[in-house]
Every structure is written in C-alpha cells, then in structure tokens.
Amino acid sequence: MTMNLPASFAGISAAVYQLGVAADRGFTVSGPGAGALISAVTEMREVVVAALDNAVRFGQEPALGQTPAAQVYKPFMASIATDPVQGFIPFLERLQQDLVDAEAALRKSMAAYDGSDQTGTGVIVAAGSAKGIVT
C-alpha cells in the first residue's frame, strides 16, 4: 500500500479548515470533550515547536563521508527537509499553524457549548419559575 504524503498533509489542513467552518456555524463541543482535544492539540503543537527549534539541523548535509554515494545523498537529504513544496520543515510550519487554528476552533466550539448550555438552563429555570417551581 503506497501513501501519498503531500495529499495526507493537505488533508490535515482541510480537516482543520472544516473544523473552523463548523465552529463558525455553531458546532459545539462539551467542556470535557473539548478539554481533552485541546490538551492533545496543545501537546502536539509543543512537539512541533520543539522540532522547528531544531530545524536548522534538518537542512544541513549529514556527515556521511566522502564516498561517491555519500556525495549524492548528502545534498538530497538536506533538500528533503527544506524543499518548499514537499519538505519536512515547511510541513512542520503548516502543521504548527493548523494546530493553532484547530485549538482556536475548539475553544470557539467550547464557548458556544457553554453559552447554549447556560441559555438552556436559563430557559428551564424561567419556565419553572413561571409554573411556581422553586429551584
């Protein structure tokens, strides 16, 4: 089974975009569910930031020696990290932004849930008060 990595990476951005659209349209996530998701996203973002802090090393040619094969592989390996379209560093930068956007969408969804929950509670209390029910 072959995997199309650039398409997979684009899928992450597409999913985050859809999460943002859903949040804009009133999609809600309950506090505990959103908290767990936000925690996971935050942890992933911290790992990506740490990797980007060391990204300079990824773009350097590795010390593979002076053999003819090493001379071919050294620049190739550095370009894998830095290629602007399919490189590892640009992917990490996109992933970092996607994680920031995902966290914002989750926080917005959580706030919408909290708001609708409080509104619902207010309606129930008001209805109970109108019927003479004490809360």
Side-chain angles (χ1 to χ4, degrees):
M1 177 177 163
T2 61
M3 188 159 142
N4 184 348
L5 288 178
S8 298
F9 298 153
I12 294 169
S13 294
V16 170
Y17 172 77
Q18 291 170 356
L19 179 62
V21 168
D24 289 342
R25 292 185 179 167
F27 172 75
T28 63
V29 180
S30 69
L37 287 171
I38 289 170
S39 177
V41 167
T42 300
E43 187 176 328
M44 285 189 297
R45 190 171 35 83
E46 289 169 358
V47 170
V48 170
V49 166
L52 282 169
D53 286 345
N54 293 312
V56 171
R57 290 184 307 136
F58 298 141
Q60 296 173 348
E61 291 185 0
L64 296 177
Q66 298 300 319
T67 66
Q71 297 305 313
V72 171
Y73 283 113
K74 287 193 290 188
F76 172 72
M77 291 178 76
S79 73
I80 290 172
T82 59
D83 181 81
V85 176
Q86 297 181 16
F88 186 61
I89 294 170
F91 162 71
L92 286 177
E93 290 167 345
R94 285 189 305 270
L95 180 59
Q96 180 182 24
Q97 186 58 52
D98 285 343
L99 292 170
V100 167
D101 294 345
E103 184 175 343
L106 288 168
R107 289 191 186 283
K108 185 173 185 174
S109 293
M110 192 165 93
Y113 176 84
D114 291 343
S116 66
D117 191 38
Q118 289 187 1
T119 300
T121 300
V123 168
I124 292 170
V125 168
S129 296
K131 300 251 184 210
I133 300 171
V134 178
T135 57

